[in-house]
């Protein structure tokens, strides 16, 4: 890895609250704004980029509007299986996939990074690890999400002999894309990226999306940091976050994101990206109808 001199940087953070269709825009705006400001407060107080992205993402995990933590989408089997990852520009990283019954998967991902020599823990193993680390049982299902799932399943079944409910459900999945994420640079120039999701609604039990796959939904290296949202299967195939980091080697975050989104569009991948390059420039883009995002740079707050 190339070494670079770290000079004092202006603390910067960009957060995203998911790409796709947003029905409750005000709530999304409040959520991403609050997360960006909370993360920026950490940075202004001299905190690390890692602490800032964890604060921002954990805050969004606690807001039921977002599809992550409390408020996560339910699987076809009625389960909540969450994915989360965190990564630093020195390639330190930790992730959990298909984890159930915890409040903040991003905090567990951080523990994977800091307390194990692994990158990714999944399912029951991830849950056992979380309990060993002191994370208490928590039911992330909200009544609203349960009702949504039941309603869709009723709709799908109406008047039909349903043998393969999953095949029918796949037609409905794209309507609720969503993930949250944050990328930050602290005063030392260090960059961190974090992403968290409840996955696609009505996904098959055991499905894992792009979010916890290092290089797909979350990535950071000496070029910058990236958090992705959107259609996980397609994002994984394009290794979109790592590609965006490669693009940032010779371009600003915005130019790199634009290039990655053009590629995604050509390949039929509905998604959104937020990024920060090593000079502290923010980049964001999406090819879905909308993406909720907010950033604070040079002391100014911008909300979608
Ligand atoms: N991008 C989130 C997911 O597909 O799981």
């Amino acid at each position: 890895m190339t070494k670079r001199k770290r000079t004092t940087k202006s603390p910067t953070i960009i957060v995203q609250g998911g790409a796709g269709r947003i029905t409750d825009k005000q709530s999304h705006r409040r959520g991403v704004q609050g997360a960006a400001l909370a993360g920026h407060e950490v940075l202004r107080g001299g905190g690390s980029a890692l602490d800032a992205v964890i604060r921002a993402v954990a805050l969004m995990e606690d807001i039921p509007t977002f599809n992550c933590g409390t408020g996560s989408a339910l699987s076809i089997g009625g389960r909540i299986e969450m994915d989360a990852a965190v990564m630093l520009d020195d390639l330190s990283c930790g992730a959990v996939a298909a984890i159930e019954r915890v409040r903040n998967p991003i905090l567990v991902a951080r523990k994977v990074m800091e307390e194990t020599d692994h990158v990714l823990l999944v399912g029951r193993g991830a849950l056992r690890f979380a309990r060993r680390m002191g994370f208490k049982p928590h039911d992330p299902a909200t009544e609203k999400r349960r009702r949504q799932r039941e309603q869709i399943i009723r709709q799908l079944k109406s008047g039909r002999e349903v043998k393969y409910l999953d095949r029918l459900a796949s037609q409905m999945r794209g309507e609720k894309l969503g993930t949250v994420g944050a990328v930050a640079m602290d005063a030392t120039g260090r960059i961190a990226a974090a992403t968290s999701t409840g996955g696609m609604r009505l996904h098959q039990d055991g499905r894992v999306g792009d979010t916890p796959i290092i290089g797909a939904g979350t990535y950071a290296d000496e070029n910058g940091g990236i958090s992705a949202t959107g259609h996980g299967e397609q994002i994984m195939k394009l290794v979109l976050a790592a590609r965006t980091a490669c693009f940032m080697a010779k371009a600003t975050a915005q130019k790199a994101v634009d290039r990655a989104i053009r590629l995604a569009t050509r390949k039929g991948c509905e998604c959104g990206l937020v990024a920060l390059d090593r000079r502290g420039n923010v980049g964001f883009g999406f090819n879905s109808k909308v993406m909720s995002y907010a950033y604070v740079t040079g002391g100014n707050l911008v909300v979608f």
Side-chain angles (χ1 to χ4, degrees), residues 67 83 177-179 197-200 207-212 228-233 235:
N67 176 20
D83 300 338
L177 303 172
T179 293
T197 188
M200 277 184 183
R207 178 258 187 192
V208 173
D210 59 300
T211 296
T229 172
H231 189 174
E233 280 70 7
I235 295 171

Side-chain angles (χ1 to χ4, degrees), residues 46-222:
S48 67
L50 172 63
D51 284 340
V53 294
I54 293 288
R55 173 95 183 267
V57 169
L59 204 143
M60 290 189 280
E61 286 179 336
D62 287 343
I63 302 174
T65 298
F66 297 112
N67 176 20
C68 60
T70 301
S72 286
L74 274 73
S75 73
I76 199 147
R79 307 176 84 95
I80 287 198
E81 299 170 320
M82 300 165 287
D83 300 338
V86 61
M87 187 163 190
L88 307 184
D89 57 1
D90 66 0
L91 304 186
S92 307
C93 53
V96 288
I99 191 168
E100 299 182 72
R101 299 189 299 280
V102 294
R103 177 171 160 184
N104 293 113
I106 197 64
L107 300 183
V108 187
R110 180 178 185 164
K111 286 285 183 199
V112 173
M113 177 174 80
E114 293 177 339
E115 305 292 339
T116 80
D117 55 351
H118 304 307
V119 166
L120 173 62
L121 296 181
V122 307
R124 271 186 302 179
L127 183 58
R128 273 201 297 271
F129 169 75
R131 295 286 181 261
R132 277 205 305 280
M133 290 291 121
F135 292 93
K136 301 267 180 298
H138 173 78
D139 180 3
T142 59
E143 263 320 297
K144 185 177 163 191
R145 295 284 191 231
R146 283 194 213 282
R147 275 200 310 275
Q148 276 174 349
R149 172 180 170 274
E150 280 157 22
Q151 196 185 350
I152 296 169
I153 289 182
R154 262 200 311 277
Q155 249 174 282
L156 289 170
K157 283 183 170 170
S158 68
R160 311 186 231 210
E161 181 71 28
V162 178
K163 209 166 170 190
Y164 299 112
L165 186 59
D166 179 66
R167 266 187 218 164
L168 291 172
S170 66
Q171 300 157 11
M172 312 288 287
R173 283 192 193 119
E175 292 186 12
K176 178 68 194 175
L177 303 172
T179 293
V180 305
V183 189
M185 176 184 271
D186 60 33
T188 69
R190 169 132 285 179
I191 292 174
T195 317
S196 180
T197 188
M200 277 184 183
R201 75 178 177 193
L202 294 185
H203 62 79
Q204 292 243 19
D205 293 356
R207 178 258 187 192
V208 173
D210 59 300
T211 296
I213 307 300
I214 297 303
T218 309
Y219 199 67
D221 69 7
E222 70 273 19

Side-chain angles (χ1 to χ4, degrees), residues 254-268 287:
Q254 190 56 60
K255 286 210 162 87
V257 166
D258 291 345
R259 188 171 168 194
I261 295 291
R262 280 199 301 276
L263 168 75
T265 306
R266 277 203 308 279
K267 300 287 183 188
N287 59 14

